[in-house]
């Protein structure tokens, strides 16, 4: 069988539904095989969009996202998306075409050393020179991407290798030297943490995106139900626990809720689950008191003790560990602490001004939140829109919030929303973005239209790179913005319509509801352009 056919057949064994990609000379054999395959190829407009769509798909389906690009510029266009997935631990297999094996290393036409270039931000990568390696490599790549701490894996395949012939035999077991992720928490450590939790007077759970990777939200909710310990989450952990619960203490971090930081400071024990403890989520580690007991559960041992020194490390899969804890733990007597958490919460509840002439994004998001289904998926871009969407859309039920948390990649949300919708066609998907972010990958509106996925795009147009404007003003004073104004932006509604999507512009909050109803009931993707005052801030 031809290697390119074998790759398609392998994808079918993995139930790959979509391959997000962009062809090129170095992929001619692959695309010829795709023509006869069962999965659907989604033709993106820029390879970066392919990785972000694969990411949105992976995050919602819980499966590995697959994307493909040709050699040279196609491959290098994948890099930002691969790095984005790496930072947020998203399982992706990226396939790149490469020049013929004999042309490698000779600066041949459209040759780029993509394995070298992506080495720092792939979980693993391969250059397949021997056609007989392809099935082993594919098996390993899917396994590595989705096991342990998930992440992107890249497979670079020269064009002549794609054309070679092999036997399709998948019977060989995977045996990757030195790669054995620990999935069950050590029983001694589990006993130890139960004892420590029982002794705590003001315990707090601190949840990151790892809880989603481990598919452990049910076990987490069960843990809180049994123990009655309150919880805070990072931005990546948004939606893991319902915001309308009395045990919910809000979002921590640089852009988090003020009350969550106060709660964190009061805690005498913090149980960290699936969080990297990055600088953005820990406010440069000033959030913890020095005598707070820390317990850190993570699948990746390298994350434990990297940024915060903790007393009890526990390596393993959050779902397994929470399951073990749920069997052995009981309700704690911490009513006073819970009351205190709720007092702090009420005291600092975010006040929202209503008297803006143009759209107030906070009110716009709260309104949309109140009329959207409980399993709505929000993809947010980077900037003020990301923070508004994190703090003003309410996450309860099965609502999810997808964003580029680690790398902070503008342009993420539109492409991620396509993947998310294809992974879950029955859920409402709302892409929140800024006028800067959407212009980064604007042509992906074409991918959206062609894919027939229905997404509502909520575009906050403040005619500026709003978040940078805020940062400049904070550091260099008011009225000193530089390099952030869009003197000329396109008519976004006209552009949406040019891509045969629907759209409407809204200038005031009073008209929002009517437009939302239209967008929600529309069969087609619908762009809502909200005109926002340049000076409208994040806080
Ligand atoms: C690819 C990329 N380039 C630059 C930045 C730096 N950056 C962070 S936020 C931001 C402004 C975003 O502006 P916009 O998309 O209009 O959203 P707003 O902040 O106005 O909501 C910029 C330039 C980034 N995060 N990603």
């Amino acid at each position: 069988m031809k290697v390119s056919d074998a790759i398609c057949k392998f994808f079918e064994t993995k139930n790959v539904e979509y391959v997000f990609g962009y062809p090129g000379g170095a992929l001619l054999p692959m695309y010829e095989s795709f023509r006869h395959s069962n999965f659907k190829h989604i033709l993106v407009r820029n390879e970066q969009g392919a990785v972000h769509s694969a990411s949105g798909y992976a995050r919602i389906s819980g499966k590995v996202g697959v994307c493909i690009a040709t050699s040279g510029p196609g491959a290098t266009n994948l890099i930002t998306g691969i790095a984005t997935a790496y930072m947020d631990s998203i399982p992706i297999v990226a396939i790149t075409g490469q020049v013929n094996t004999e042309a490698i290393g000779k600066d041949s036409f459209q040759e780029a050393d993509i394995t070298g270039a992506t080495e720092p931000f792939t979980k693993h990568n391969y250059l397949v020179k021997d056609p007989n390696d392809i099935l082993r490599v594919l098996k390993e790549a899917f396994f590595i991407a989705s096991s342990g701490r998930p992440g992107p894996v890249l497979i670079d395949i020269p064009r002549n290798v794609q054309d070679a012939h092999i036997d399709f035999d998948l019977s060989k077991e995977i045996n990757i030297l030195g790669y054995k992720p620990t999935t069950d928490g050590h029983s001694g450590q589990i006993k130890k943490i139960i004892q420590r939790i029982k002794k705590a007077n003001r315990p707090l759970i601190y949840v990151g995106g790892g809880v989603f990777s481990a598919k452990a939200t049910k076990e987490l909710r069960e843990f809180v139900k049994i123990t009655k310990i309150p919880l805070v989450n990072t931005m990546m952990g948004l939606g893991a626990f319902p915001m309308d619960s009395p045990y919910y203490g809000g979002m921590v971090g640089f852009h988090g809720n003020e009350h969550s930081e106060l709660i964190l400071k009061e805690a005498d024990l913090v149980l960290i689950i699936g969080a990297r403890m990055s600088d953005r989520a820990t406010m440069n580690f000033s959030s913890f008191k020095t005598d707070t007991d820390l317990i850190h559960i993570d699948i990746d041992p390298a994350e434990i003790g990297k940024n915060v020194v903790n007393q009890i490390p526990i390596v393993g899969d959050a779902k397994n560990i929470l399951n073990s804890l749920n069997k052995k733990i009981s309700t704690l007597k911490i009513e006073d602490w819970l009351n205190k958490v709720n007092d702090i919460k009420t005291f600092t509840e975010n006040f929202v001004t209503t008297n803006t002439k143009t759209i107030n994004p906070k009110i716009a998001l709260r309104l949309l939140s109140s009329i959207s289904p409980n399993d709505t998926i929000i993809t947010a871009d980077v900037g003020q829109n990301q923070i508004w969407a994190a703090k003003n859309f309410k996450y309860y039920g099965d609502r999810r919030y997808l964003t580029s948390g680690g790398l902070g990649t503008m342009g993420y949300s539109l492409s991620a929303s396509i993947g998310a919708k294809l992974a879950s066609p029955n859920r409402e998907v709302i892409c929140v973005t800024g006028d800067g972010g959407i212009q980064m990958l604007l042509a992906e509106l074409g991918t959206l239209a062609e894919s027939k996925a229905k997404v509502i795009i909520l575009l906050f147009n403040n005619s500026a790179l709003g978040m940078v404007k805020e940062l400049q003003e904070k550091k260099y004073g008011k009225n000193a913005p530089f390099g952030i104004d869009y003197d000329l932006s396109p008519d976004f509604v006209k552009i949406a319509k040019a891509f045969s999507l629907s759209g409407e512009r809204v200038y005031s909050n009073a008209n929002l509801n009517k437009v939302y109803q239209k967008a929600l009931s529309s069969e087609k993707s619908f762009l809502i352009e909200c005109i926002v005052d340049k000076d409208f801030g994040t806080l």
Side-chain angles (χ1 to χ4, degrees):
M1 181 183 278
K2 249 180 75 179
V3 164
S4 54
D5 288 338
I7 294 170
C8 292
K9 196 164 169 190
F10 178 82
F11 282 172
E12 282 157 23
T13 68
K14 287 283 171 194
N15 295 321
V16 171
E17 287 181 289
Y18 294 100
V19 172
F20 302 92
Y22 204 93
L27 285 178
L28 285 178
M30 293 290 300
Y31 270 71
E32 198 43 35
S33 299
F34 281 7
R35 191 199 296 275
H36 308 290
S37 66
N38 286 345
F39 52 81
K40 200 158 185 269
H41 171 256
I42 304 286
L43 176 62
V44 296
R45 271 46 176 179
N46 179 306
E47 289 85 353
Q48 188 181 161
V51 206
H52 294 334
S53 288
S55 162
Y57 178 85
R59 289 172 76 169
I60 293 305
S61 68
K63 299 198 313 193
V64 173
V66 181
C67 58
I68 186 161
T70 194
S71 65
T76 53
N77 270 355
L78 287 183
I79 290 178
T80 301
I82 290 175
T84 304
Y86 185 71
M87 288 289 268
D88 290 341
S89 312
I90 313 297
I92 279 171
V93 168
I95 308 257
T96 44
Q98 183 53 280
V99 298
N100 288 341
T101 34
E102 74 273 6
I104 294 177
K106 296 182 177 165
D107 287 338
S108 308
F109 177 63
Q110 293 195 326
E111 182 192 0
D113 175 8
I114 195 64
T115 46
T118 56
E119 145 90 51
F121 35 75
T122 40
K123 202 172 160 191
H124 197 58
N125 67 27
Y126 300 88
L127 167 61
V128 184
K129 284 186 166 165
D130 180 347
N132 293 309
D133 285 342
I134 190 71
L135 291 174
R136 173 185 59 81
V137 165
L138 281 167
K139 268 174 102 169
E140 288 183 7
F142 272 72
F143 179 66
I144 293 173
S146 57
S147 59
R149 175 179 178 172
V153 177
L154 181 134
I155 311 175
D156 197 25
I157 316 175
R159 179 173 163 171
N160 59 319
V161 172
Q162 298 166 37
D163 265 329
H165 281 77
I166 55 161
D167 289 335
F168 190 85
D169 177 8
L170 286 179
S171 58
K172 257 203 183 146
E173 287 292 308
I174 301 177
N175 183 17
I176 310 166
L177 215 64
Y179 182 70
K180 295 268 174 299
T182 308
T183 51
D184 293 323
H186 187 277
S187 59
Q189 296 296 83
I190 289 179
K191 236 190 232 161
K192 218 167 165 187
I193 71 173
I194 290 180
Q195 282 161 7
R196 190 72 73 94
I197 291 170
K198 279 184 179 162
K199 270 196 235 149
N201 295 316
R202 298 181 308 282
L204 184 68
I205 304 164
Y206 181 113
V207 170
V211 167
F212 290 113
S213 308
K215 304 183 176 79
T217 50
K218 201 173 120 240
E219 289 73 12
L220 173 71
R221 291 171 190 204
E222 182 67 18
F223 182 70
V224 175
K225 200 169 147 200
I226 299 171
T227 59
K228 314 264 186 247
I229 302 177
L231 174 149
V232 291
N233 56 248
T234 65
M235 190 182 272
M236 292 301 284
L238 267 178
F241 194 79
M243 283 184 171
D244 54 357
S245 160
Y247 300 100
Y248 184 65
M251 183 173 89
V252 292
F254 190 73
H255 290 288
N257 305 108
E258 200 186 329
H259 61 253
S260 312
E261 293 299 318
L262 294 173
I263 293 167
L264 197 53
K265 279 206 163 69
E266 287 293 322
D268 66 350
L269 177 139
V270 181
L271 176 65
I272 304 160
I273 311 177
R276 293 187 296 127
M277 308 311 286
S278 71
D279 53 342
R280 199 160 156 106
T282 54
M283 309 266 283
N284 295 322
F285 320 117
S286 59
S287 311
F288 299 108
K289 278 206 291 257
T290 46
D291 57 352
T292 308
D293 279 350
L294 299 181
I295 298 169
H296 196 162
I297 300 174
D298 207 288
I299 189 86
D300 183 355
E303 285 303 337
I304 301 181
K306 185 172 94 179
N307 289 339
V308 284
V309 182
N310 43 288
Q311 285 94 338
I312 309 183
I314 177 156
V315 178
D317 178 79
K319 189 185 186 86
N320 293 342
I321 294 171
L322 282 165
N323 255 327
S324 305
L325 291 174
N326 286 344
K327 282 187 200 131
K328 294 181 185 125
I329 207 149
S330 47
T331 305
L332 307 185
K333 292 198 171 43
I334 48 170
E335 287 81 12
D336 288 353
W337 168 228
L338 251 184
N339 290 339
K340 182 155 195 177
V341 165
N342 278 300
D343 284 350
I344 297 175
K345 231 162 85 177
T346 326
F347 180 64
T348 59
E349 193 63 79
N350 215 331
F351 175 72
V352 176
T353 47
T354 49
N355 58 343
T356 49
K357 277 202 196 99
T358 53
I359 296 277
N360 177 329
K362 298 178 186 179
I363 293 180
L365 280 154
R366 288 177 186 206
L367 176 62
L368 188 54
S369 177
S370 69
I371 57 174
S372 303
N374 277 5
D375 61 355
T376 298
I377 297 162
I378 292 272
T379 67
D381 215 69
V382 175
Q384 293 175 311
N385 63 87
Q386 178 185 39
I387 312 306
W388 293 327
K391 291 171 85 170
N392 295 286
F393 204 86
K394 300 285 174 219
Y395 299 88
Y396 47 71
D398 289 326
R399 287 185 177 186
R400 284 291 307 270
Y401 172 86
L402 313 185
T403 196
S404 164
L407 201 64
T409 308
M410 282 169 72
Y412 179 79
S413 67
L414 176 57
S415 292
S417 72
I418 301 171
K421 184 67 182 184
L422 293 174
S424 196
N426 297 327
R427 291 169 76 171
E428 205 64 67
V429 176
I430 299 166
C431 159
V432 177
T433 184
D435 46 325
I438 197 167
Q439 290 191 71
M440 284 236 165
L441 285 169
L442 189 59
E444 293 309 309
L445 285 174
T447 311
L448 175 64
E450 215 166 62
S451 73
K452 302 269 189 303
K454 187 232 161 164
V455 168
I456 296 175
I457 301 165
L458 190 61
L459 162 63
F460 290 118
N461 185 356
N462 50 11
S463 306
L465 300 172
M467 180 61 92
V468 181
K469 177 174 185 287
E470 265 194 275
L471 293 173
Q472 284 183 344
E473 285 183 352
K474 211 164 147 199
K475 187 144 174 63
Y476 305 106
K478 273 239 170 237
N479 305 321
F482 176 78
I484 52 97
D485 285 301
Y486 281 122
D487 291 334
L488 179 79
S489 272
D491 181 327
F492 291 106
V493 174
K494 266 195 191 154
I495 288 201
K497 290 186 174 162
F499 278 110
S500 78
L501 305 172
S502 304
E504 210 156 308
R505 184 174 301 118
V506 201
Y507 295 90
S508 76
N509 283 29
N511 297 327
L512 266 176
N513 203 3
K514 207 172 67 208
V515 180
Y516 281 163
Q517 297 303 341
K518 264 195 217 169
L520 283 164
S521 59
S522 164
E523 302 232 314
K524 277 189 197 175
S525 290
F526 197 110
L527 184 141
I528 306 173
E529 182 185 0
C530 295
I531 303 301
V532 176
D533 191 289
K534 232 190 244 298
D535 286 321
F536 196 93
T538 310
L539 298 173

